[in-house]
Amino acid sequence: MDIPLSYYLLLSGILFACGVLGFLIKRNIITIFMSIELMLNGVNLSFVAFAAHWHALSGQVFVFFVMVVAAAEAAVGLAIIIAVYRTRETLNVDQVNLLKL
Amino acid sequence: MAGAVNLLVQSHPINSALSLIVVMGSLAAEYLLLGAEFLAAIQVIVYAGAIMVLFLITIMLLNAGKEERTKGSRIATLLGVPGVLIGGVLVAWTLLHRSDMGSVPIGALWGDPKSIARLLFHDFLLPFEVTSVLILIAIMGAVVLASRPETGARAARKDG
């Protein structure tokens, strides 16, 4: 049983679009971070689909690197969120408009 | 996909995080279908395990409540929603009907860890090492950023 490649690409595009939408309309900074993770996952799905289509294993290695970078980014970003919350007592991005207190 | 939409709809961060876990799990199932079982395992362990636990701990630590909504401008809604719909339909139609791309067989059982490891440690050795340095820097940055501001101030006082 075969699944057309375009279905995978469509699902990947939908996931990426959901990520962009969440990034734009959400006001909670943690939810914005989760939207970024969603975008990375959409790109990963298209990487794997193309790797399976072209029989090129390097696509999966790239997915591996994307996951590693996403993990590092999540760790640093959540640390930044904690630091911001300590100084400002809020998670709303509209109220975090100055880098310096 | 339902999980992704739910992530947008939910207003409480915990519910968004749980639906993101659903998305990660179904993506791991997709990877299994595509025959990349190593990546499926990595997806479950790294994303659904580590990163989501990190998110949930942060949400609980910061005691995040419901978010307040901001009202967007009316013109953006009026123009944006039909524009997004038209663009999405166009892209989907192009992808589904005008493409002569082939299809992907289910369960090719092809991305076994052995060949991935050979590729990773021979052809992509330099990016691998650079990634390890990046991880190290990220760990140090996270520890420095998340440490208490009093200790940082004390250290600065000791320095100066």
Side-chain angles (χ1 to χ4, degrees), chain A residues 55-90:
Chain A
H55 292 283
L57 206 52
S58 46
Q60 301 194 10
V61 178
F62 272 102
V63 174
F64 185 74
F65 282 129
V66 168
M67 280 183 188
V68 169
V69 172
E73 171 249 344
V76 175
L78 289 175
I80 290 176
I81 289 175
I82 290 177
V84 166
Y85 186 76
R86 280 221 186 95
T87 55
R88 307 203 171 246
E89 303 283 322
T90 181

Side-chain angles (χ1 to χ4, degrees), chain B residues 115-132:
Chain B
S115 44
I116 286 187
R118 180 171 296 127
L119 203 57
L120 196 58
F121 289 110
H122 282 111
D123 296 347
F124 290 92
L125 188 59
L126 181 64
F128 188 73
E129 299 295 334
V130 172
T131 311
S132 65

Side-chain angles (χ1 to χ4, degrees), chain A residues 29-99:
Chain A
I29 194 165
I30 297 178
T31 319
I32 286 178
F33 246 78
M34 284 191 272
S35 307
I36 295 176
E37 299 290 330
L38 196 62
M39 281 194 265
L40 288 169
N41 269 297
V43 174
N44 277 351
L45 179 63
S46 70
F47 261 134
V48 175
F50 275 123
H53 182 238
W54 296 112
H55 292 283
L57 206 52
S58 46
Q60 301 194 10
V61 178
F62 272 102
V63 174
F64 185 74
F65 282 129
V66 168
M67 280 183 188
V68 169
V69 172
E73 171 249 344
V76 175
L78 289 175
I80 290 176
I81 289 175
I82 290 177
V84 166
Y85 186 76
R86 280 221 186 95
T87 55
R88 307 203 171 246
E89 303 283 322
T90 181
L91 285 177
N92 196 333
V93 284
D94 286 338
Q95 295 166 18
V96 185
N97 48 6
L98 293 174
L99 279 177

Side-chain angles (χ1 to χ4, degrees), chain A residues 3 8 26 28 68 92 94, chain B residues 8 10 30 67 70 104 131:
Chain A
I3 296 180
Y8 286 108
K26 283 298 187 177
N28 193 319
V68 169
N92 196 333
D94 286 338
Chain B
L8 298 179
Q10 295 291 339
E30 290 275 352
E67 66 174 343
T70 45
V104 182
T131 311

